[in-house]
Amino acid sequence: MKEINIDQQKYERILQAALKQFATYGYQKANTDEIARDAGVSKGLIFHYFGKKQVLYERTISRVIDFLIEQSSDLFTKQYTDLVEVVVVSTRYKIKLEQEYPDYIHLLIAAYAQKYSLPNEIQEKLAQYMDENMEIVHQLLTGIIEQLPIKKEIVQQDVIQLVLGIFNQVSVESLQFLKAHPEVTEVKQMQFLAERAEIYMGILQTGFLENKAEEK
């Protein structure tokens, strides 16, 4: 097979334009004509470099996943001793990512939303990314929860699932907020989400029903 000579600058422009297009419209509706226009290259060059739309999508999402994994490395290697701390720190980190790299996050969300209509290779890449992240978070939470005085009748795994639910809820709220307020440009403008995560965790740890003294 003849080796393809690649102009690295044009290659990078194509991937950046593809990221924007796929994040906005998803895999099926993304338009290679628009990608070519935004990248300042011919449509023919895109197919010369990538062969077909599927390969371009695979390269784009693989790059996004690798980038996000690299960005997450410090978060997951830090030692935590408190559930509230890990949820709040993680929330602030996610807010920062969503704000600084919105297309990366939106591309992943769009990919998960239409996961089963995507090529098998992409489904496998997404599944691997999710599995690896869930395993890391699971280990992190397990290490903390094992040190906590949990009631004997409560199953440890149930606590982990509840904490993960809070992670997911705050992620949904942050994305909804960014969509409703595109003018937001600073992380501190979303600080209330980290505070909400802390409130959620406080309720989880202490409960929301008053302890009534037994009637005499």
Side-chain angles (χ1 to χ4, degrees), residues 2 14 17 24 28 33-34 37 52-55 72 78 98 111 118 128 140 145 152 162 164 178-179 184 212-214:
K2 185 178 179 181
I14 291 171
T24 304
Q28 303 294 347
D33 289 319
E34 295 294 325
R37 186 198 66 185
K52 54 184 179 179
K53 180 180 175 181
Q54 175 181 327
V55 175
S72 304
K78 183 180 177 182
E98 289 161 7
L118 298 175
Q128 180 184 2
L140 184 63
I145 290 171
K152 293 180 181 179
L162 281 171
L164 289 175
L178 285 173
K179 185 176 181 180
V184 170
K212 296 182 178 181
E214 294 184 3

Side-chain angles (χ1 to χ4, degrees), residues 11 15 26 57 88 90 98 100 102 121 125 130-131 146 149 169 180 182 191 205-206:
Y11 183 86
L15 285 177
Y57 186 80
V88 171
S90 298
E98 289 161 7
E100 294 184 358
E121 294 86 347
K125 181 79 173 179
M130 177 59 76
D131 289 345
E146 285 177 344
Q169 175 61 26
Q191 174 63 25
Q205 291 188 126
T206 62

Side-chain angles (χ1 to χ4, degrees), residues 155-168:
V155 179
Q156 185 182 98
Q157 185 59 34
D158 291 341
V159 177
I160 293 174
Q161 291 304 317
L162 281 171
V163 177
L164 289 175
I166 291 176
F167 271 92
N168 293 334

Side-chain angles (χ1 to χ4, degrees), residues 124-158:
E124 291 172 2
K125 181 79 173 179
L126 286 170
Q128 180 184 2
Y129 173 70
M130 177 59 76
D131 289 345
E132 289 178 356
N133 274 274
M134 290 300 291
E135 180 59 27
I136 292 172
V137 172
H138 191 280
Q139 291 178 6
L140 184 63
L141 293 178
T142 299
I144 298 172
I145 290 171
E146 285 177 344
Q147 303 175 45
L148 300 177
I150 297 175
K151 295 177 181 178
K152 293 180 181 179
E153 66 271 20
I154 295 179
V155 179
Q156 185 182 98
Q157 185 59 34
D158 291 341

Side-chain angles (χ1 to χ4, degrees), residues 14 17-18 31-46:
I14 291 171
N31 190 311
T32 50
D33 289 319
E34 295 294 325
I35 293 173
R37 186 198 66 185
D38 293 344
V41 301
S42 68
K43 184 177 178 179
L45 185 64
I46 292 178

